[in-house]
Amino acid sequence: MKHKAHKTAAGKNRAMLGRGRGWITVGTLAAYAAAGGTKSALASAVKTDPTAADGAGSTLPLKRFDIPAGPLDAAVKAYEHATGLTVKIVLPAGTLAGFNSQGVVGLYREDEALRLLLDGTGLNYRVEDAATMLVGVQSKDTISVTDSVTNSVSLTKFPEPLLDTPQSISVVPQFVMQDEGVSTLKDALRNVPGISMAAGEAGAQGDNLTIRGFTARNDIFLDGVRDFGSYYRDSFNYEQVDVLEGPAGVEFGRGATGGVINQESKVPQAQQFVRVQAQFGTDLTRRVTADINEPEMDVLGGTAYRVNVMAQEGGVAGRDYAEVRRFGLAPSVSIGMNTPTRATLSYFHITESDTPDYGLPWFNNKLAPGSIRHNYYGFPDENYLKTNDDILTLKVEHEFSPNLNLHMIARAANYPRQAQITEPQICSNAPLSVPVGGFVSSLPTSAVNTALPCAYTGASDLSSIIVNRNQIQTKSVEGDLWDQTEVTARFNTFGIRHALVAGVEGGQEISNPIRYSYTINKINTVPTAMLIDPNAQQPFGGTGYISSVVHTKSDSVGLYFVDTIKLGRLFELSGGVRWDRFDTGYNLYQPTPPAGATVTANVPPISRIDEQPTYRAAFVYKPSTHGSFYFDYATSFDPAAESLSLSIGLANSSAAPEENETYEAGAKWSFLNERLLMEGAFFHTEKDNARETDPTNSNNIVAAGNQLVKGVQFSVVGRLPEGMDVVAGYAYLDSDVIFSKFYPTSVGFPLANVPKQTFNLFITHRLGWHLNGGVGGNYVGSRTASSTVPFVPTSYGPAQTFAPGSAPCGVTVTTCYEVLSTAMKQVPGYWVFNAMVRRPLTDRLELQANVYNLLNRYYIDLPHPSHLIPGAGASALIGVNFKF
């Protein structure tokens, strides 16, 4: 047992404020050093930075140019020959001959190469359609191509523009994250319809979410490789975030039932720049980020260095003791940028040391009553979440010809994690949904002492309710060694054009969690708290012991190809096949526990091998260069050890993996010269062999359920004139359990954490006095807590005794309780509104202020079957953005 002296809240805030002064000093010195140290070098920097607006262009394919300085008309012809694009000149006949170009030599994106050709001429350009550029004397504010929306992703698995890709792909670009002041992956994803957030689990912290109704905790990727760690992801090194909705098993392997999330990292650029942002806000929040890029294009065929740095510390609005402390570092170097062989080596490190908050307790079917919004039920000086993640990535690509490329990415990742988090509980969870008139064998038990019935009802005095402080304590290391090699080729057969992507990938993933318990003789030995007035300064105590030690290792390999066939100008067919082998070894043991402790059965080494094909087929009709209609069919699978965990029942079972099948039909259209992209889709996803855990034996997990999600979604992303940016989305999800072996009463009820409707909107617009303002919000409909127990009994009749073997609540019991009433176990829907205002002071300096949860709404943001995390209250950030 360990006791620690606890600081008062006031003392804690004084300590944070003291640290804040240090932060201000460090941030000021860093900005001064960056400005002074790079002044001479930056004097010759390119004036226009195409990555500054939204980063959209950085994802376009690179091409090699060798256009010498000379007359502009000759340079334009050479550009057309190199790119296959058509350049229309919006000038009087013969005028172009009076212009000279500085030329362009090296590896550039198509848009950047044209910008360089026109540099110094006074001319500008815009995209008319996918094959045409317009050049003329027009205002850059109204025609700059950098104002177009993103129409591609960095993943070479998707060689066609998003407009022609037969799948719902939502991109959260850099300009949206900047406008909204986004600092986490979770907040970036609030701009995507069909996604809902959930709280971390006992064995896994970090980002937890569902896509189109299915969990996607293990479907988060970083530059196309699975990002397996359980940590909260920061956005400081994001170029953009891609959300590919619908099964993506052919491209990504296991999982991907509802879709995948890909984080695109910032990479070195050919332009020199330095960007520093300092933010200060309510709840003693301080955040400093820096993005420094330094090219040396005459070294090793073109070399560039880039480093992104982030440091943040602060509280959470409305949650007095929760704290966030993060530091991130992401250096990278690219070589051979002007050669056929290019390589980028990057390192990503993020450290987190938080005071975590698992929020508020359930009571029967809803959030516990009373004025508890700001209550903290943990131990501020004893609870912690510490992660220390390191990811090393090498990317190499070789261009054999403009139509044949080889790509390789290799990664070594290490994800250490330590956590001790307090989960507030009042009563135990109901193991089954029992309708009115049904019988149960026992009443809910006290969460403090599971040998006693729960003493509280809806009529109980709130000041008398005791809350159990369940300790979730774990220490774990996850790791990943991975290699992915891919070929992309464009060729013709019998006059038919093909775009082929084929690859092989594989590697090893490990997970070694150690979990602890504080329960002795069914009693939690940690001090309890009162529901209405918990004592956060109470000394921590309890008898802790190791409840399980797990070792898991998975070796996997995948082979895949996807071919897109272009049948003239109007039609495209695409199809792909993938084969995966997933081999997992697992064992679990427990050191000798103390007397009366919970005993975990040791599991000798067990293994399971799953081999599974996945398929994709799609049809695209393109009536215009500005839009397309498509139909897509795809499959994916979830092996038993998908999350690197196994049970004896699943390991020894011959049951197939979970299998998922999706049909999707949709349309995509761009307007206003690619400034506005609109998408809409209807989809139908069904999961077979859904895994279920026997409520009477947690080791008995079977693949026997069936689940269905169908719905529609729409999204709009635009960069319009007058500084108007818009991002909006709507999704309607109709989810159902359609068969369940252990939970038949759940049939017809919605899946866990699947709101019927979600909506997001954020609009910015140029105002007077050189101001830009933005406003928007999110709506998330009500969500149930569990797919297997969607509703719970709320009142019971007296005990009834039955003859042995005749009880309606089980053959081994004689006492039953009739269920008199039930209610859905769910959290209500909510609206949240945010706002932004930004004003440039100079061409290098601007101020930005963001306000979140304008109306200070009290809502549940992250639900879990055993606890509820409320959304942050009203808060504000004021930032200073420097560009050099």
Side-chain angles (χ1 to χ4, degrees), residues 188-210:
L189 294 176
R190 298 184 193 277
N191 294 287
V192 180
I195 290 183
S196 50
M197 309 298 167
E201 299 179 352
Q205 289 70 51
D207 298 308
N208 198 0
L209 64 150
T210 61

Side-chain angles (χ1 to χ4, degrees), residues 688-736:
D688 293 330
N689 301 325
R691 287 188 290 274
E692 294 183 346
T693 301
D694 188 335
T696 63
N697 180 5
S698 61
N699 289 321
N700 183 22
I701 304 175
V702 300
N706 296 88
Q707 300 170 347
L708 172 67
V709 179
K710 56 186 177 181
V712 295
Q713 70 178 61
F714 304 95
S715 63
V716 178
V717 179
R719 305 218 71 182
L720 307 177
E722 301 300 324
M724 184 174 180
D725 296 339
V726 58
V727 55
Y730 170 80
Y732 177 88
L733 303 179
D734 182 9
S735 66
D736 291 285

Side-chain angles (χ1 to χ4, degrees), residues 27-173:
T28 303
L29 289 175
Y32 179 81
T38 60
K39 182 177 179 180
S40 60
L42 291 171
S44 60
V46 178
K47 294 180 180 179
T48 303
D49 177 9
T51 67
D54 64 358
S58 64
T59 63
L60 296 175
L62 297 173
K63 291 189 176 181
R64 181 165 291 100
F65 295 89
D66 188 9
I67 304 175
L72 181 58
D73 52 357
V76 168
K77 290 181 180 179
Y79 174 85
E80 290 178 322
H81 178 75
T83 62
L85 299 175
T86 298
V87 179
K88 291 184 179 179
I89 308 301
V90 190
L91 293 170
T95 306
L96 196 63
F99 292 91
N100 287 312
S101 170
Q102 299 177 4
V104 55
V105 178
L107 201 66
Y108 293 95
R109 302 185 309 271
E110 293 170 348
D111 61 323
E112 175 64 6
L114 185 55
R115 187 193 67 78
L116 292 173
L117 284 179
L118 299 177
D119 193 27
T121 65
L123 302 177
N124 217 317
Y125 68 98
R126 66 175 173 84
V127 174
E128 183 179 56
D129 55 45
T132 308
M133 296 283 197
L134 292 183
V135 171
V137 183
Q138 301 177 46
S139 169
K140 184 177 180 181
D141 286 344
T142 62
I143 64 168
S144 174
V145 73
T146 59
D147 286 340
S148 62
V149 297
T150 302
N151 193 29
S152 62
V153 295
S154 65
L155 297 171
T156 53
K157 294 179 174 67
F158 299 90
E160 299 302 309
L162 298 185
L163 203 62
D164 301 332
T165 300
Q167 183 176 357
S168 293
I169 301 179
S170 298
V171 173
V172 184

Side-chain angles (χ1 to χ4, degrees), residues 452-679:
L452 299 176
C454 186
Y456 311 113
T457 67
S460 298
D461 181 3
L462 298 183
S463 64
S464 68
I465 295 179
I466 295 175
V467 175
N468 177 49
R469 286 164 156 170
N470 179 44
Q471 296 302 295
I472 296 172
Q473 187 173 354
T474 185
K475 181 178 181 181
S476 182
V477 176
E478 280 80 44
D480 188 13
L481 289 172
W482 202 259
D483 180 83
Q484 182 184 107
T485 302
E486 196 170 72
V487 173
T488 58
R490 296 180 183 272
F491 57 92
N492 293 344
T493 59
F494 305 106
I496 298 175
R497 291 178 295 165
H498 294 256
L500 175 69
V501 178
V504 56
E505 62 179 323
Q508 183 179 97
E509 297 163 278
I510 62 169
S511 179
N512 298 309
I514 302 173
R515 299 188 177 98
Y516 299 78
S517 177
Y518 286 81
T519 299
I520 302 290
N521 293 320
K522 297 187 176 182
I523 300 174
N524 185 9
T525 58
V526 175
T528 59
M530 303 305 296
L531 174 65
I532 297 301
D533 188 22
N535 181 9
Q537 306 305 322
Q538 185 175 7
F540 176 83
T543 302
Y545 57 92
I546 294 175
S547 59
S548 67
V549 179
V550 174
H551 296 288
T552 310
K553 182 178 76 172
S554 292
D555 297 309
S556 57
V557 63
L559 306 170
Y560 59 93
F561 79 88
V562 180
D563 188 18
T564 300
I565 302 172
K566 300 187 178 183
L567 305 175
R569 186 184 66 81
L570 295 178
F571 302 102
E572 290 184 3
L573 295 176
S574 63
V577 178
R578 181 183 178 114
W579 176 84
D580 282 279
R581 186 179 192 271
F582 193 64
D583 181 357
T584 301
Y586 174 92
N587 66 46
L588 177 152
Y589 72 93
Q590 179 184 26
T592 303
T598 302
V599 177
T600 303
N602 291 343
V603 176
I606 59 175
S607 64
R608 179 180 174 94
I609 297 176
D610 288 297
E611 296 179 347
Q612 185 83 4
T614 50
Y615 308 96
R616 168 167 239 132
F619 171 80
V620 179
Y621 169 57
K622 301 194 300 181
S624 165
T625 56
H626 300 293
S628 64
F629 298 93
Y630 67 88
F631 175 80
D632 181 29
Y633 168 81
T635 68
S636 65
F637 78 104
D638 300 84
E642 176 188 9
S643 58
L644 270 61
S645 180
L646 266 178
S647 70
I648 295 177
L650 278 178
N652 296 334
S653 172
S654 60
E658 295 181 332
E659 297 182 352
N660 316 295
E661 187 176 63
T662 284
Y663 302 90
E664 179 176 316
K668 303 181 181 184
W669 217 270
S670 68
F671 300 91
L672 304 176
N673 297 309
E674 297 192 358
R675 290 172 173 269
L676 187 70
L677 178 62
M678 301 181 67
E679 297 186 33

